[in-house]
Amino acid sequence: SYEIQKDKIQLYCNQVFVTDEVKDIVPEFLMLLQGVIDSPDIPLNVSRSYLQGDPNVKKINAHITKKVADKLDEIFRTDRSSLEEKWESLGLFVKYGMMTDDKFLEKANKFLVMEDTAGKFHTLEEYKTVTETLQKNKDGKQVILYATNPVQQDAYIQACAAKGYIVVKLETLVDAAFINNMEMKWEGVHFVRVDSD
């Protein structure tokens, strides 16, 4: 289940409950994800101070991140509409993960979806494909047009639509940081706010 609730991740070791104090074990961006993690690598006499110095923790951390990325990738491939339905809550930590963990970014590039102002979802590749001819800047970079407030920016969105441009909604708390990050990490992509010149 994907309800967002901080500190609701429980840790089991071979089915024995260990702790729900998982701040040190779980990558920060996944603290948003509720679920049960079972890791046979965790000693049962677990203590916070021990966990902080335990090399296993890094391994578990990487393992959890990979598992989540693989799971999201699988949902994207087998049941994309359910990923899109939950995207509002999932998107937050996917984006946060993409900013903070390059291995996660690599995988997430395939299943990150961006909703356009008409309610259709695009992966980065799909967006590039549909905007290929119309949305290049003078440096040959692909322009991602985005709205931070679709209601306020409606006139600009309509003007773009009339030209055949596709505007995506980037209106959450993490989006400003996400845009800055992806401009550096994504090759040949430039973000432009719909109401800028």
Side-chain angles (χ1 to χ4, degrees), residues 2 9 13-14 18 20 30 34 46 66 82 94-95 98 113 116 126 130 134 161 181 189-190 195:
Y2 296 110
I9 298 176
C13 181
N14 299 325
V18 180
D20 49 15
L30 293 182
Q34 181 179 1
V46 84
K66 181 184 183 308
S82 87
V94 169
K95 288 171 184 170
M98 290 171 80
V113 287
D116 69 25
E126 290 163 353
V130 291
L134 286 177
N181 259 273
V189 165
H190 180 54
D195 52 2

Side-chain angles (χ1 to χ4, degrees), residues 16-155:
V16 182
F17 181 70
V18 180
T19 175
D20 49 15
E21 281 284 341
V22 289
K23 286 189 190 61
D24 308 318
I25 307 170
V26 179
E28 193 192 342
F29 74 93
L30 293 182
M31 289 300 286
L32 299 169
L33 190 63
Q34 181 179 1
V36 170
I37 295 144
D38 192 337
S39 168
D41 300 329
I42 298 169
L44 273 181
N45 57 348
V46 84
S47 74
R48 305 272 322 258
S49 58
Y50 176 77
L51 278 175
Q52 280 164 334
D54 183 0
N56 270 324
V57 170
K58 285 223 179 348
K59 281 207 315 234
I60 295 166
N61 199 314
H63 175 70
I64 292 168
T65 305
K66 181 184 183 308
K67 269 207 128 89
V68 169
D70 289 346
K71 185 67 188 165
L72 287 170
D73 185 56
E74 181 196 323
I75 296 169
F76 173 74
R77 284 181 290 109
T78 57
D79 188 3
R80 177 166 173 173
S81 61
S82 87
L83 183 89
E84 292 176 354
E85 280 160 30
K86 298 189 181 86
W87 189 253
E88 207 172 318
S89 49
L90 283 176
L92 272 174
F93 74 82
V94 169
K95 288 171 184 170
Y96 195 69
M98 290 171 80
M99 293 189 273
T100 53
D101 185 317
D102 284 341
K103 279 206 170 76
F104 185 82
L105 169 74
E106 219 170 285
K107 294 194 168 192
N109 281 337
K110 293 194 198 70
F111 59 74
L112 169 90
V113 287
M114 299 178 284
E115 187 181 3
D116 69 25
T117 49
K120 188 175 180 330
F121 286 89
H122 310 264
T123 64
L124 178 63
E125 283 313 310
E126 290 163 353
Y127 186 86
K128 283 179 168 176
T129 305
V130 291
T131 59
E132 182 65 47
T133 46
L134 286 177
Q135 291 177 219
K136 286 264 172 76
N137 68 11
K138 55 183 188 305
D139 307 322
K141 282 191 171 185
Q142 192 87 33
V143 172
I144 296 181
L145 279 169
Y146 68 96
T148 51
N149 188 326
V151 175
Q152 277 183 2
Q153 295 162 330
D154 187 61

